[in-house]
Amino acid sequence: SHIMGVFTTFAVAFPEYGWSLRCDGRALFELAACSFRDRLLALYGQDVMAELEHFDGEGLSGRVWGSFRQDRAAGRRSYRLFVNRRPVRSASLYRAAQAALGGAGMLLLFVEIAPEVVDINVHPAKREVRFRDEEGVYDLAFSALTRVLARDRARGAGVAEDEAVTETTRVLCEK
């Protein structure tokens, strides 16, 4: 399962490359180079793709984008975080995801940021990162996720999108 996790992580991060995974001479995955959405479809299937929400946001701290689905059974271990397409651990990104998604679900979160504002020397394996502007990166991720959630709630309630985003932002800021 660990090998499958590593394979999936890198296959998602680099969809422009073909990937294959074999076990006991049997092909488990044969993935051709493709788009991000096509890669998600190949790895997770049509049922998961139908439930995925895609998000994108930009700010002074950089750009954040990706996909998520809310699923109370999935839990936090289904969060995959990438900084400049490198799989990482980041306390501020986990906090933003948990605050926005309620701590459960599947998340593929990509942050594109200037390399000089990321400290990769936090952990010997270079897996954990810190940002020069932790709160700025938190705000960027949190706002991108909550915008999509507010839009979805607005659609379900028949409310104008701008009103829902404003109301959601007000409620979340009061917390």
Side-chain angles (χ1 to χ4, degrees):
S1 70
H2 180 71
I3 291 170
M4 282 292 289
V6 171
F7 175 84
T8 303
T9 297
F10 282 97
V12 165
F14 298 97
E16 69 274 16
Y17 296 111
W19 294 83
S20 64
L21 180 62
R22 297 186 174 281
C23 180
D24 296 328
R26 182 173 57 100
L28 299 179
F29 283 100
E30 292 289 339
L31 304 172
C34 59
S35 69
F36 177 69
R37 288 180 191 228
D38 287 342
R39 180 57 48 90
L40 295 182
L41 179 61
L43 289 171
Y44 298 110
Q46 187 62 42
D47 291 343
V48 171
M49 277 299 291
E51 295 176 7
L52 282 178
E53 296 288 341
H54 305 285
F55 61 93
D56 197 341
E58 286 192 50
L60 295 175
S61 297
R63 178 176 176 240
V64 64
W65 62 276
S67 302
F68 72 91
R69 99 179 163 153
Q70 291 188 294
D71 180 358
R72 297 286 172 213
R76 183 178 124 170
R77 292 183 56 85
S78 293
Y79 290 1
R80 291 200 175 138
L81 310 175
F82 304 85
V83 173
N84 298 333
R85 298 206 308 176
R86 175 193 199 130
V88 299
R89 291 186 198 125
S90 165
S92 58
L93 291 175
Y94 274 120
R95 282 188 300 115
Q98 283 188 273
L101 300 176
M106 174 185 166
L107 173 66
L108 301 167
L109 177 78
F110 292 83
V111 176
E112 294 173 4
I113 194 166
E116 61 270 10
V117 299
V118 181
D119 182 4
I120 62 167
N121 294 314
V122 177
H123 186 272
K126 311 282 191 223
R127 182 102 163 106
E128 188 174 331
V129 297
R130 288 196 191 117
F131 303 98
R132 186 177 298 160
D133 181 12
E134 291 281 340
E135 288 306 310
V137 171
Y138 172 95
D139 290 342
L140 180 63
F142 180 78
S143 65
L145 289 166
T146 55
R147 258 195 316 277
V148 173
L149 292 168
R151 182 191 67 213
D152 291 347
R153 286 186 195 116
R155 265 193 251 148
V159 177
E161 183 176 332
D162 289 340
E163 291 175 38
V165 170
T166 302
E167 178 62 17
T168 300
T169 304
R170 184 189 66 74
V171 170
L172 293 170
C173 289
E174 288 175 357
K175 286 184 178 178

